[in-house]
Amino acid sequence: MGKYINFTLIKERDNKKTVEQNTVKAIAELNIEDKKKDILIQNMAQTIASLNIEITKLKGADE
């Protein structure tokens, strides 16, 4: 009896592996974008804090 290769099963397995790899890649890219947004939020918070200090100084100079 010869070897029997089920190409359909091989193709399904390869497709599943590709889907899993694409999913992992998408999750990694989302994590990167999330970290970028976190950095932007931190920068904005620092800018706002600095502006608040300047506003307080200006208000103090007016009084």
Side-chain angles (χ1 to χ4, degrees):
M1 192 170 201
K3 284 188 174 182
Y4 174 74
I5 299 174
N6 189 335
F7 290 106
T8 302
L9 289 177
I10 292 171
K11 185 174 179 181
E12 286 176 4
R13 184 192 69 209
D14 289 346
N15 287 343
K16 183 178 178 183
K17 185 176 180 182
T18 300
V19 169
E20 289 173 354
Q21 288 172 341
N22 289 340
T23 302
V24 169
K25 182 180 176 186
I27 291 170
E29 289 172 355
L30 287 172
N31 282 332
I32 290 169
E33 292 303 315
D34 190 45
K35 295 297 178 190
K36 287 180 183 178
K37 287 179 185 176
D38 287 346
I39 291 169
L40 288 173
I41 290 168
Q42 288 173 356
N43 289 341
M44 287 174 58
Q46 290 173 350
T47 301
I48 291 168
S50 296
L51 290 171
N52 283 335
I53 291 169
E54 291 301 317
I55 290 168
T56 302
K57 287 179 184 177
L58 291 172
K59 283 183 178 179
D62 288 343
E63 295 176 4

